[in-house]
């Protein structure tokens, strides 16, 4: 069974649907018209380019090129999570990218080898989409976890120095903060696991179903992927916290003010 | 001859070009007790925090057992000195968990002595069931007393007491003051505007005059 193609004309018909949000926006003066148009245009170009790029990558299917692409994805993920929470990129990009690397690539290779049992671990068709799913989720987790960590530390520095006053070492005194930010970064993944299949059919499963695979295969893949996502998110966020604590605190155990970008 | 434990040497602290502390000098031997007396905002807390390495002098130095404080020996200082902050909203969760957390730190590796907690709670007029309440639900005075009990249990050689009696009534205040002043071995630096601390075995140093 083949997937139905979407022709250019059909795509045009799909875009016509946008008239609905545009009209609503016009009548209730949401001022979303230009933003919607710009965003959709941007997304179209982005996806179109990715389409061309992935076609090229899949055809070439060279392990080195595939892996290099993963590395680029890692650095961009690291950059985005630092930038998003107003920390200085220069000081933290290497440690955070390293955390993404360890947290995702190890799980990814384990996953490809033991779970999917790929002959070539770097097979583009598997490596890149799965890496994208792991990375996307650990990026989201990282932004939530890191910003929670630094926000509560900034807001409540007294509790931290107070723990140092009562004999705690740096990591002992930071443990409550680490615990809280890990919890808040994992909460969304756990929540989506709870409703999975009932409220939402996640993208990966939908993709396999549309591609004509059996629901059972789709479900197995989804289950495996969700576990991979949970593990890689937890690992990445833990490692990122360890790394930023290592590089973001001075030897007196105080947070370096210069890591904040404003 | 007893050696000097803590020494402030020509210490100046400035923030935004304003001197909070100016050319401050003090030598403190084991068992000595001093009171930094002055209104709030005069730099009393800053002087205490300097010794903990939570803030740093712009000029001068702070010595601990003859060695100038730096990022290595500060951890040794923090093992020997306990700073009780004037802010008591620094813990959360059930009170008993705070006790357990503090005694899980490597530096405080010892079993929680429940009978000692009991007798201290008793001495400071705290009902035993406060131990199982949420810290947040306690009154300001109760929080202060819990912090004091936690600190006493550690135990440390030097205590830095930063306005620790501000939310206590007079009777409780004198109990706390007596408890600390009666112990000859303890070295104390007290920051307070309260003259109740003044007694014959304490050296009063006016700050900010």
């Amino acid at each position: 069974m083949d997937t139905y193609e979407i022709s250019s004309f059909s795509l045009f018909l799909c875009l016509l649907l946008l008239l609905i949000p545009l009209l609503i926006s016009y009548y209730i003066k949401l001022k979303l018209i230009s933003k919607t148009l710009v965003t959709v245009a941007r997304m179209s170009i982005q996806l179109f380019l990715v389409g061309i790029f992935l076609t090229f990558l899949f055809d070439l299917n060279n392990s080195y090129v595939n892996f290099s692409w993963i590395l680029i994805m890692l650095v961009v993920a690291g950059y985005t999570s630092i930038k998003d929470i107003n920390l200085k990129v220069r000081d933290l990009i290497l440690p955070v990218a390293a955390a993404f690397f360890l947290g995702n690539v190890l799980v990814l290779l384990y996953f490809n080898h033991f779970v999917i049992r790929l002959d070539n671990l770097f097979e583009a068709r598997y490596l890149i989409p799965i890496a994208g799913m792991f990375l996307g989720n650990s990026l989201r987790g990282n932004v939530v976890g890191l910003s929670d960590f630094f926000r509560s530390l900034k807001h409540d520095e007294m509790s931290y120095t107070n723990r140092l006053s009562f004999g705690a070492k740096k990591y002992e005194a930071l443990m409550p903060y680490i615990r809280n930010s890990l919890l808040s970064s994992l909460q969304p993944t756990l929540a989506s696991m709870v409703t999975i299949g009932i409220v939402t059919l996640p993208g990966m499963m939908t993709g396999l179903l549309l591609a004509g695979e059996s629901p059972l295969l789709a479900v197995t893949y989804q289950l495996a992927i969700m576990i991979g996502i949970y593990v890689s998110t937890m690992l990445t966020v833990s490692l990122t916290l360890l790394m930023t604590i290592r590089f973001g605190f001075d030897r007196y155990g105080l947070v370096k003010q210069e890591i904040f970008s404003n | 001859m007893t050696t000097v434990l803590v020494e402030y040497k020509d210490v100046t602290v400035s923030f935004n070009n304003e001197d909070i502390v100016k050319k401050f000098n003090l030598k403190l031997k084991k068992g000595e007790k001093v009171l930094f007396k002055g209104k709030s905002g005069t730099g009393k807390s800053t002087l205490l925090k300097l010794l903990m390495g939570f803030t740093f002098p712009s000029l001068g130095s702070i010595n601990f057992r003859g060695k100038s404080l730096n990022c290595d020996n500060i951890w040794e200082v923090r093992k020997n000195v306990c700073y009780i902050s004037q802010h008591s909203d620094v813990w959360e969760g059930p009170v008993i968990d705070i006790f357990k957390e503090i005694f899980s730190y490597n530096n405080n590796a010892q079993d929680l002595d429940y009978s000692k907690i009991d007798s201290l709670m008793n001495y400071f007029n705290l009902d035993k069931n406060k131990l199982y309440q949420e810290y947040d639900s306690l009154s300001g005075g109760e929080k202060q007393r819990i912090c004091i009990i936690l600190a006493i249990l550690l135990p440390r050689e030097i205590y830095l007491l930063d306005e620790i009696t501000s939310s206590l009534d007079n009777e409780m205040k004198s109990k706390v003051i007596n408890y600390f002043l009666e112990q000859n071995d303890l070295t104390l630096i007290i920051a307070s505007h309260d003259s109740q601390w003044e007694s014959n075995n304490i050296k009063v140093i006016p700050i900010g005059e």
Side-chain angles (χ1 to χ4, degrees), chain B residues 30-33 179-187 201:
Chain B
K30 188 172 166 56
E32 284 188 324
K33 298 168 176 58
Y179 186 92
F180 281 104
L181 294 189
E182 273 169 9
Q183 307 200 39
N184 295 328
D185 282 354
L186 281 190
T187 310
N201 63 349

Side-chain angles (χ1 to χ4, degrees), chain B residues 14-107:
Chain B
S14 8
F15 288 115
N16 306 324
N17 293 324
E18 202 187 324
D19 291 345
I20 311 273
V21 174
K22 213 170 177 178
K23 290 225 161 203
F24 183 80
N25 283 288
L26 174 72
K27 278 185 189 172
L28 205 61
K29 288 178 185 163
K30 188 172 166 56
E32 284 188 324
K33 298 168 176 58
V34 298
L35 171 66
F36 291 163
K37 202 179 172 211
K39 296 196 188 85
S40 56
T42 47
K44 300 188 305 273
S45 294
T46 306
L47 281 170
L48 301 187
K49 286 177 190 161
L50 282 167
L51 183 55
M52 298 304 289
F54 297 153
T55 188
F56 304 96
S58 325
L59 291 169
S61 66
I62 295 103
N63 296 348
F64 181 74
R65 290 196 180 125
K67 280 185 194 134
S68 174
L69 289 192
N70 59 38
C71 56
D72 296 319
N73 62 20
I74 195 70
W75 298 97
E76 202 51 40
V77 174
R78 289 176 187 162
K79 268 192 216 171
N80 292 284
V81 185
C82 177
Y83 168 63
I84 310 183
S85 156
Q86 58 183 315
H87 304 280
S88 51
D89 283 320
V90 282
W91 301 107
E92 55 196 12
V95 173
I96 185 72
D97 288 356
I98 304 170
F99 281 85
K100 287 180 185 160
E101 183 191 324
I102 289 181
F103 285 92
S104 75
Y105 301 157
N106 254 332
N107 285 339

